[in-house]
Amino acid sequence: MSLLPADITANLTAGIASYPKPDSVVYSYGTAGFRMAADLLDSVMFKVGILAAIRSKALGGACVGVMVTASHNPVPDNGVKLVEPSGDMLVPEYEKIAVAMANASTVDELAELAAAALAAASVAPDAPAAVRYGHDTRPSANRLVAALEAGLAVLPAVDAIPVGLVSTPQLHYLVKASNEPQFGIATLDGYNNKLIAAYTQLLEAGGAGNGEFDAGKLFVDGANGVGAPALAALLAAAGPDFALHASIVNDGSDPEVNILNHEAGADYVKSNQMPPPVLAETADRCAAFDGDADRVVYFFNSPSAGFVLLDGDKLASLMADYISSTLQVLVDAGLVAADELSLAVIQTAYANGASTTYLRNELGATVEFTKTGVKHLHHAALAYDIGVYFEANGHGTVVFSPKYVETLARVAANPDLATAPPAAAAATQLGLLPAVVNQAVGDAISDMLFIEAILRIRRLSVADWAALYTEHPNRLTKVAVADRTVFTTTNADQQLVEPTGMQDAIDALVAPVDAGRAFVRPSGTEDVVRVYAEASSQDAADALALAVAKLVYDTADGVGELVTSF
Ligand code: 16G
Ligand code: MG
């Protein structure tokens, strides 16, 4: 029996009638929220609207966020994820409620879940709530946003604030800023102006103000998604004197030709290890965003080496290198104690082993591993004063602790700085970083601005950056199996627990391979098991990946055709 007032139950009844749950579908909240064919998501959107309102009510009316996007997935897909008031991903406890609500088909079931969630938070149905919601460029967005709005209208006292077309990180920013005014102004102008000012000041402090270094041409592949208009708006707001001149390609301007994520964007570049066709010829520096602009990788076509990719590992390495060496200037000047601020780089098992070796051995950085999925890395990074985190696929950012901010404020106030220009410049640069780098979530635009600033301050070409270390040859492949849930992992996805015995068999395949490494994990976004292998040569990495894939296929009821060559 529902404990909700009659008018709310009436709203639920109307909503369930308009947005019935398709019978055959079982919904799950994966690493990136609910994501699937857009045609199957109307009922989910309605329920997410209700849940977002409840989450906000449970948090005393703090603003929460809802982002309608399917990131790098093809056009017919869509998805939705919830954002906490701090800009973080939804807490696991509410992921469970989200799944239960998404799978509820009757008014009674849904009413009971909603009432239970309100009761668990000891909050009345008419307590205040605020929800900001936005969407990417998909054609299904308007229809799904209407379903979301119907859900947001179920409970009373919900301030539902549409923010329209935004990148995922912009939505996270808007939510965080609306709860923490010191973080920024909660508008898109506020977002743009904050990044523009911080980037410009960082260049000045780093001796690379406009015109002082020719960084060469930059192309940005917008994946025909929301990152293209978002970046164009930032550049327009920055004006012609801004020290970043980017040509945006795959900008989605002609829907007939510019298809979202089709032969475009970070996922295409990283997965295929090749440039998008439109940038196949250029030798200039290129950055590629994904469809919702929370991921970025760089690449260029080298006359001698061909296509060169600078993935999330390379971004993390350059950022960590720049931050630690700039901090060292303050340590050397006696302004910060050597161990005062902790710095770590958080990676996943997909990080190229050469990057880990570089970070540990050349930079002396702490490197920690977590399971795949941004939220795991983000939380691990928060344990450090400077937490650099990146997945190899380009998801990542740098988070700074309150102690970091306090320490730099203390240094900035030190009168000795006046007579120590290098230390003063280092202190100013470090003090600006929390504003340059989006603290809420990985952000392609903000990450790109930080990288562009480092290249200019350090006078580095993209080839210099690529040469920080040389990747170990590697291969990523996937195997479809009857039931991927029989695969469970431990040790940050690096080892299998189940199926029993399979890890020993993998170890036996890896043992004879020079510099060999391999692991297997079930995908959180596709119905497959992923296999990754590294070795000292490409042939050996390929052979190891094939051998492990065959093992998985043979022992776990492989489905369809097994990949036998690359
Ligand atoms: C999602 C995750 C990403 C992860 C990927 C792994 C977010 C926002 N995105 O896209 O971090 O790398 O899933 O996919 O958390 P997989 O489980 O299919 O390998
Ligand atoms: Mg994305």
Side-chain angles (χ1 to χ4, degrees):
M1 273 311 291
S2 164
L3 301 169
L4 296 171
D7 52 341
I8 297 174
T9 312
N11 290 343
L12 288 177
T13 308
I16 290 264
S18 302
Y19 307 107
K21 175 184 173 293
D23 282 342
S24 54
V25 189
V26 179
Y27 294 105
S28 62
Y29 199 96
T31 22
F34 295 106
R35 193 182 289 184
M36 54 173 52
D39 293 349
L40 298 174
L41 280 171
D42 300 65
S43 69
V44 171
M45 295 291 163
F46 171 66
K47 287 149 172 176
V48 165
I50 302 171
L51 186 65
I54 294 176
R55 182 65 184 143
S56 173
K57 288 170 192 279
L59 294 168
C63 179
V64 303
V66 179
M67 180 69 196
V68 179
T69 180
S71 185
H72 60 272
N73 286 38
V75 179
D77 287 359
N78 214 324
V80 62
K81 52 189 168 188
L82 286 126
V83 177
E84 291 281 310
S86 60
D88 270 6
M89 311 274 177
L90 185 67
V91 290
E93 183 196 340
Y94 268 71
E95 287 186 6
K96 289 200 194 100
I97 307 175
V99 172
M101 287 176 85
N103 288 303
S105 26
T106 66
V107 176
D108 281 354
E109 279 174 83
L110 187 56
E112 212 156 301
L113 288 164
L118 288 164
S122 308
V123 71
D126 62 353
V131 181
R132 280 180 197 250
Y133 56 99
H135 58 84
D136 72 12
T137 55
R138 285 162 202 274
S140 53
N142 286 347
R143 193 190 82 237
L144 294 177
V145 166
L148 175 74
E149 287 172 336
L152 288 168
V154 163
L155 294 170
V158 179
D159 186 11
I161 308 158
V163 299
L165 183 69
V166 283
S167 72
T168 292
Q170 285 178 332
L171 190 271
H172 284 255
Y173 169 92
L174 293 172
V175 170
K176 189 176 177 71
S178 64
N179 295 303
E180 303 170 25
Q182 73 283 7
F183 176 66
I185 298 167
T187 61
L188 290 177
D189 283 345
Y191 170 92
N192 286 334
N193 292 337
K194 179 177 174 174
L195 288 180
I196 291 164
Y199 173 79
T200 305
Q201 290 164 19
L202 180 59
L203 287 188
E204 276 163 18
N210 207 358
E212 288 177 48
F213 174 65
D214 179 7
K217 196 163 171 49
L218 171 69
F219 285 99
V220 179
D221 172 352
N224 295 317
V226 64
L231 177 62
L234 182 139
L235 294 175
D241 294 338
F242 192 50
L244 182 91
H245 300 282
S247 302
I248 306 175
V249 298
N250 292 329
D251 64 356
S253 52
D254 179 353
E256 298 293 316
V257 189
N258 300 136
I259 299 163
L260 174 66
N261 297 325
H262 177 69
E263 298 192 333
D267 198 60
Y268 177 87
V269 169
K270 171 78 180 160
S271 305
N272 298 296
Q273 305 273 318
M274 59 163 83
V278 65
L279 293 173
E281 306 296 330
T282 178
D284 293 311
R285 185 168 79 262
C286 303
F289 296 178
D290 76 337
D292 63 340
D294 64 351
R295 226 172 116 174
V296 58
V297 297
Y298 272 75
F299 63 91
F300 67 104
N301 300 300
S302 146
S304 54
F307 171 77
V308 178
L309 176 69
L310 298 100
D311 64 2
D313 304 338
K314 273 268 157 75
L315 273 88
S317 299
L318 184 65
M319 291 178 183
D321 182 333
Y322 163 76
I323 295 171
S324 63
S325 61
T326 309
L327 187 56
Q328 191 60 42
V329 176
L330 299 184
V331 173
D332 292 345
L335 293 160
V336 174
D339 54 358
E340 193 167 342
L341 296 175
S342 58
L343 181 150
V345 181
I346 317 296
Q347 301 191 308
T348 73
Y350 292 112
N352 194 279
S355 72
T356 313
T357 304
Y358 169 79
L359 290 164
R360 283 192 173 136
N361 299 357
E362 309 259 326
L363 276 194
T366 300
V367 180
E368 208 184 289
F369 285 83
T370 69
K371 285 160 74 73
T372 288
V374 171
K375 63 184 173 191
H376 302 297
L377 290 99
H378 188 88
H379 286 131
L382 291 175
Y384 298 90
D385 295 314
I386 304 158
V388 181
Y389 73 86
F390 269 91
E391 293 188 315
N393 63 20
H395 272 296
T397 188
V398 188
V399 287
F400 300 94
S401 71
K403 183 179 162 197
Y404 175 93
V405 175
E406 285 156 22
T407 305
L408 284 154
R410 183 197 77 210
V411 172
N414 189 319
D416 294 350
L417 274 190
T419 54
T428 308
Q429 289 172 63
L430 292 173
L432 286 163
L433 297 189
V436 175
V437 191
N438 190 334
Q439 298 294 287
V441 75
D443 180 336
I445 293 178
S446 140
D447 286 340
M448 182 184 82
L449 289 175
F450 187 26
I451 290 290
E452 290 295 315
I454 299 172
L455 295 178
R456 285 164 174 76
I457 292 168
R458 290 283 192 77
R459 297 345 193 212
L460 294 176
S461 70
V462 69
D464 298 332
W465 171 23
L468 275 185
Y469 59 83
T470 305
E471 278 84 3
H472 295 160
N474 61 90
R475 179 62 67 181
L476 179 62
T477 185
K478 56 187 177 185
V479 184
V481 296
D483 179 8
R484 78 182 198 277
T485 64
V486 303
F487 287 79
T488 58
T489 65
T490 184
N491 189 17
D493 285 336
Q494 296 170 104
Q495 282 172 303
L496 281 176
V497 177
E498 287 167 332
T500 318
M502 196 180 284
Q503 186 59 49
D504 291 341
I506 294 171
D507 292 345
L509 292 170
V510 171
V513 179
D514 185 33
R517 182 168 79 89
F519 69 91
V520 167
R521 62 172 273 280
S523 162
T525 64
E526 262 185 88
D527 203 6
V528 297
V529 172
R530 299 202 193 282
V531 173
Y532 178 89
E534 245 176 55
S536 56
S537 72
Q538 190 62 51
D539 284 350
D542 288 353
L544 182 57
L546 289 176
V548 175
K550 184 169 185 334
L551 172 75
V552 169
Y553 188 88
D554 289 346
T555 47
D557 294 332
V559 175
E561 246 170 79
L562 175 69
V563 181
T564 52
S565 66
F566 299 110

